[in-house]
Amino acid sequence: MTALIAGAALTFSLAACGGTKEAANVEKAAGSDFTVGFDAEFPPYGFQEAGQYAGFDLELAKEVATRNKWNFKEQPIAWDSKDMELNSGNIDCIWNGFTIDGREDAYTWSKPYVDNKIVFVTSSTSNITSAADLKGKSVLVQADSSGLRALKSDANKELVASFASLTEVPDYNNGLMELESGAADAMAVDQSVGQYQINLRGKDKFHIFDPGFDGEKYGIGFKKGNTALRDQVQKTLDEMRKDGTFQKIAEKWGQQDVVIN
């Protein structure tokens, strides 16, 4: 009898798990919650301002939710816990300047919507005008950033070897302050994030090299296999591109030069 009960319980458990898995790949109905996971310290994509969450990605996501008559919920997450949050169902997607490159098979992705270049920034008073001019110069990069990943790649070994030094800083704010003071010569930054930070401090104070020396694409990451929700979101984003809403939001957040239309 005990064995039969245990067997029945196991069968029910497996059926329930199967049901949950299938339910994760159905379209969301009007009135459903749409919970977006994001890093609250990544302006201009997602951050906290005057006690409220704001950002380019959050505004896009909110518009998608509105058009689908979903209840929009913004969920700040610890970035190193993003997979746990997604797989547990606490969030429906990761939407926050999320790099596709190197993660292609780990998630179900939207189409890329940002083509993010990695660029060098210098003080506007500097006579550095190209990557070749960085030979013998002090260069900064944010710790654990796309810029650091790019500089550590094999493709940029010779470039980095030409620097007098490569120093990791905790954030863009520290790096740009050092550039402005003359304590460093250049800084590697994500163009999409760096441009926003520069705009806050005054465009006339800094110069961005163009073209960039590396690049990556941003997308919206859904749980692997959740194509139904991905398709709903993608369809709405495509509509927003056609009617100009996508570009209008990009311009509001200074991202018009990096978005993919």
Side-chain angles (χ1 to χ4, degrees):
M1 181 63 72
T2 301
L4 286 172
I5 292 172
L10 178 60
T11 300
F12 177 79
S13 176
L14 291 173
C17 289
T20 300
K21 185 175 182 181
E22 290 174 6
N25 193 32
V26 296
E27 292 188 350
K28 276 188 179 292
S32 299
D33 291 340
F34 179 53
T35 306
V36 170
F38 71 102
D39 178 353
E41 297 181 1
F42 195 61
Y45 290 88
F47 61 104
Q48 192 168 31
E49 183 178 58
Q52 301 291 322
Y53 294 119
F56 173 51
D57 279 349
L58 289 181
E59 191 160 341
L60 287 176
K62 187 174 183 179
E63 179 65 18
V64 166
T66 298
R67 293 187 180 209
N68 284 283
K69 297 182 172 58
W70 296 333
N71 302 315
F72 177 63
K73 292 192 173 183
E74 51 208 4
Q75 180 60 57
I77 57 175
W79 197 242
D80 58 0
S81 299
K82 58 186 178 294
D83 291 343
M84 180 194 71
E85 298 279 0
L86 185 63
N87 291 326
S88 67
N90 288 339
I91 58 176
D92 290 308
C93 63
I94 303 167
W95 196 338
N96 192 209
F98 196 24
T99 303
I100 297 174
D101 307 66
R103 299 187 177 108
E104 290 88 347
D105 298 326
Y107 307 87
T108 288
W109 288 100
S110 69
K111 297 175 187 175
Y113 65 99
V114 166
D115 189 359
N116 180 48
K117 298 176 184 177
I118 311 298
V119 297
F120 287 113
V121 176
T122 63
S123 166
S124 58
T125 59
S126 170
N127 59 3
I128 299 171
T129 59
S130 69
D133 295 334
L134 293 173
K135 183 177 181 179
K137 304 296 185 182
S138 58
V139 179
L140 307 176
V141 64
Q142 181 174 328
D144 195 29
S145 67
S146 298
L148 180 60
R149 174 194 58 76
L151 289 174
K152 285 187 173 181
S153 70
D154 290 341
N156 292 305
K157 275 185 177 180
E158 289 187 15
L159 174 63
V160 174
S162 73
F163 301 161
S165 64
L166 177 64
T167 305
E168 295 181 34
V169 293
D171 52 50
Y172 284 137
N173 184 53
N174 278 271
L176 292 174
M177 286 175 62
E178 289 195 38
L179 280 187
E180 196 170 2
S181 69
D185 298 303
M187 183 176 181
V189 303
D190 293 27
Q191 182 181 6
S192 55
V193 180
Q195 186 67 65
Y196 178 80
Q197 296 285 352
I198 289 169
N199 289 346
L200 291 178
R201 290 165 175 75
K203 296 179 183 179
D204 59 326
K205 296 180 180 180
F206 302 95
H207 172 70
I208 293 182
F209 290 7
D210 193 25
F213 68 93
D214 205 308
E216 61 188 1
K217 289 181 170 58
Y218 291 167
I220 309 160
F222 298 84
K223 187 175 180 179
K224 188 74 172 176
N226 192 1
T227 57
L229 180 57
R230 186 275 310 276
D231 291 347
Q232 282 183 290
V233 171
Q234 188 63 62
K235 180 176 180 291
T236 308
L237 278 175
D238 291 344
E239 291 169 354
M240 290 164 59
R241 283 187 174 93
K242 288 179 181 178
D243 66 26
T245 303
F246 179 88
Q247 186 66 17
K248 184 177 179 180
I249 294 173
E251 290 172 359
K252 174 181 175 179
W253 293 100
Q255 301 303 296
Q256 64 273 13
D257 294 333
V258 297
V259 292
I260 300 171
N261 288 306

